[in-house]
Each structure stands twice: as structure tokens, then as C-alpha cells.
Amino acid sequence: QVQLVESGGGLVQAGGSLRLSCVASGRTSSMYFMGWFRQAPGKEREFAAAINWIGGSTYYADSVKGRFTISRDISKNTLYLQMSSLKPEDTAVYYCAGKRDRGGDYRTVWRYDAWGQGTQVTVSS
């Protein structure tokens, strides 16, 4: 099993930046993709960004492309999400997730096998 713990959320003004971190423990070698999802109040959880854990290829939702950057430090078993030019509509609980399977859509919530507890990001206007 893999355990994921996020940190770095908080309150920021529109246009500001935040960096989220996710520390993974356990069988991290079993994860093929790692991703960030977010869930705003009253809405479904949605894909934000993903990274091929070993290869490093990155993927983004259109809503965050050009503003968010996903990265990882394999030596520290840590996943990051650098968020810039934040907007009030980015307000959500952000979740770190791990996906074992190489196949399947990396944007799909149910294809992920491990989840963190989430960290709140609030962007004020």
C-alpha cells in the first residue's frame, strides 16, 4: 500500500502563488502515475495535473495549463504542485493521488488507487 500526505494549502489573494507538497510512503515503486485532483464545494472531484512518476512526462487540465506546474523528487518520494496566477475559481480541496496501472485515462478519478486526505486552497478576490 501507498500512503499519501499533502501539505501547503492556505489562503491566498487572486494572482498569488502556492506550492503544494505530497509525501508518499510505502510501496511507492508500484505507482506509475501520480496526480493532483481538486474538489470545490458542491462539485465533483476533477483532474488538475498528473506526472509519470519515473519518466517525468506531465499532463494538465486545460483550466490550469500555463499556471500550474507538477513535479516530483523521487529521492524524497515527494510530489509537488506549484500554483501561480491563482484565481478564485481555483478554490478547492486539493488531493494527491497515485495510480498503479500504466493504461487507462490518467484524468479519471476512479482509476487512482491511493489518495491523500486533502489540503484546502482558498483564493480570495
Side-chain angles (χ1 to χ4, degrees), residues 5-7 20-22 34-38 46-51 69-71 79-82 94-97 112 115 119:
V5 179
E6 305 98 333
S7 62
L20 306 183
S21 299
C22 172
M34 295 290 292
W36 288 98
F37 288 76
R38 64 186 186 181
E46 65 175 13
F47 169 75
I51 188 167
T69 302
I70 188 171
S71 63
L79 180 72
Y80 302 101
L81 186 67
Q82 178 67 49
Y94 283 70
Y95 297 90
C96 169
Y112 282 75
W115 292 87
T119 185

Side-chain angles (χ1 to χ4, degrees), residues 71-86:
S71 63
R72 87 284 193 239
D73 185 333
I74 295 176
S75 67
K76 296 181 179 179
N77 275 345
T78 302
L79 180 72
Y80 302 101
L81 186 67
Q82 178 67 49
M83 306 185 292
S84 303
S85 301
L86 283 161

Side-chain angles (χ1 to χ4, degrees), residues 48 59-69 87:
Y59 309 87
Y60 298 95
D62 288 343
S63 58
V64 308
K65 197 173 296 182
R67 300 187 299 120
F68 291 11
T69 302
K87 305 174 182 179

Side-chain angles (χ1 to χ4, degrees), residues 4-71:
L4 304 172
V5 179
E6 305 98 333
S7 62
L11 174 64
V12 64
Q13 288 189 331
S17 300
L18 277 177
R19 188 176 82 157
L20 306 183
S21 299
C22 172
V23 178
S25 60
R27 293 190 60 191
T28 56
S29 61
S30 65
M31 293 292 118
Y32 190 81
F33 276 106
M34 295 290 292
W36 288 98
F37 288 76
R38 64 186 186 181
Q39 188 166 17
K43 294 188 176 181
E44 293 186 352
R45 193 169 299 189
E46 65 175 13
F47 169 75
I51 188 167
N52 179 311
W53 185 249
I54 300 300
S57 298
T58 57
Y59 309 87
Y60 298 95
D62 288 343
S63 58
V64 308
K65 197 173 296 182
R67 300 187 299 120
F68 291 11
T69 302
I70 188 171
S71 63

